[in-house]
Amino acid sequence: MADFLTTPLGTFVLILAQCLAVVGFVMVSLLFLVYGDRKIWAAVQMRRGPNVVGVYGLLQTVADALKYVVKEVVVPAGADKTVFMLAPLTSFVLAVLAWAVIPLNEGWVLSDINVAILFVFAVSSLEVYGVIMGGWASNSKYPFLGSLRSAAQMISYEVSLGLIIIGVIISTGSMNFGSIVAAQDTAYGFFGWYWLPHLPMVFLFFISALAETNRPPFDLPEAESELVAGYQVEYSATPFLLFMAGEYIAIFLMCALISLMFFGGWLSPIPGLPDGVFWMIAKMAFFFFLFAMVKAITPRYRYDQLMRIGWKVFLPLSLGWVVIIAFLAKFEVFGGFWARWAIGG
């Protein structure tokens, strides 16, 4: 077997198996994310939520997925059929592609590249094209307006996300997620993670992630009272399923980024307990819980409020924080608290 893996065919089989393992993890997680999302909303609204299909309703997401798969795909008569079908596929593939550089444990990553953050940022920036393609190809004013809203919103908050990430890169001296987690592995334990040195930006990153993934209270591209369902209005069956899956996978990716960059990734928060993949998945699940709670308890913003927060509040704050971090890292304030590259991180 070892000899086979060194051949070109063996290498191909190994890479294919690793890719399938990553996709399998993401897709299985997706089933529980949707279930958990619906259960959390139900608990907040004092109702049961999914509880019929399977034990405690655990198979409800599977049943819904099968329902979408077997339904007829309806394409509007005036739509650009090629672009109309490519749009949901683009959103789904790009959402999954970003997971190629996300580590779940030390060494547990499909592609351990030195510019992993740039890769994720580039891929997530391209996801807006799926939304724009879907809205434009539908040949209807409501999807088109929804796609324009989404483009403006995602571009606006990507700027803030990028600047916040720059602060973490300055502190670490690396764009590799493994190095970022290693830099947070200090003698201070939980208090050595980047949530404390970059405390103001943790909240800005979380809120910007909500806007970037079109989650409430920033789900203006899908505002039911104005645009019916935004860019998804004309979609049904499997294409709609791909859009929804891509959106949830992007949300889970943001949970992974928050865990890796600010909360130590797979590092244990409790002294004496070993680090491992359990902590990484637990942290991702916790932040997804916060995503779901925000949707359950927060009213929707107006669009002018959304853009004002992005450009007049978050952009100046994140830009100013980059300058502050650069100063603190350069002069190694508090013994390199903001400059982990200077202390061997």
Side-chain angles (χ1 to χ4, degrees), residues 174-295:
S174 173
M175 289 185 284
N176 180 274
F177 287 118
S179 299
I180 291 173
V181 173
Q184 298 175 70
D185 190 8
T186 65
Y188 302 107
F190 175 75
F191 296 99
W193 297 350
Y194 278 152
W195 68 269
L196 188 56
H198 297 267
L199 183 60
M201 294 300 107
V202 175
F203 298 101
L204 264 66
F205 191 93
F206 180 77
I207 298 171
S208 297
L210 289 170
E212 172 72 9
T213 53
N214 297 332
R215 288 282 288 190
F218 306 116
D219 57 337
L220 276 302
E222 305 167 26
E224 294 89 348
S225 58
E226 309 154 49
L227 300 173
V228 189
Y231 60 92
Q232 301 175 357
V233 169
E234 303 293 349
Y235 282 91
S236 62
T238 306
F240 176 79
L241 178 64
L242 290 176
F243 263 133
M244 189 175 71
E247 182 176 315
Y248 271 93
I249 292 171
I251 294 166
F252 203 38
L253 175 69
M254 288 297 171
C255 296
L257 291 180
I258 297 172
S259 302
L260 288 168
M261 293 195 300
F262 299 107
F263 289 90
W266 53 84
L267 300 180
S268 171
I270 303 174
L273 291 182
D275 305 331
V277 65
F278 167 78
W279 295 112
M280 179 65 182
I281 295 177
K283 292 170 187 176
M284 291 160 62
F286 172 74
F287 288 114
F288 184 81
F289 171 78
L290 295 184
F291 269 80
M293 285 299 295
V294 168
K295 181 170 185 174

Side-chain angles (χ1 to χ4, degrees), residues 11 28 31 121 130 150 159 170 174 229 260 262 279-280 282 291 326 341:
T11 304
V28 171
L31 297 177
F121 199 64
S150 184
V159 177
I170 291 174
S174 173
L260 288 168
F262 299 107
W279 295 112
M280 179 65 182
F291 269 80
W341 46 268

Side-chain angles (χ1 to χ4, degrees), residues 103-115:
L104 298 177
N105 198 356
E106 187 172 3
W108 288 28
V109 58
L110 183 61
S111 180
D112 190 19
I113 57 177
N114 292 327
V115 290

Side-chain angles (χ1 to χ4, degrees), residues 137-161:
S138 297
N139 194 32
S140 174
K141 60 182 178 182
Y142 293 112
F144 185 62
L145 287 173
S147 65
L148 290 180
R149 278 186 171 187
S150 184
Q153 176 176 323
M154 294 174 79
I155 292 170
S156 300
Y157 283 87
E158 276 175 1
V159 177
S160 298
L161 285 173

Side-chain angles (χ1 to χ4, degrees), residues 81-95:
K81 292 180 176 57
T82 303
V83 180
F84 185 84
M85 299 306 295
L86 280 176
L89 189 62
T90 300
S91 294
F92 176 78
V93 170
L94 289 174

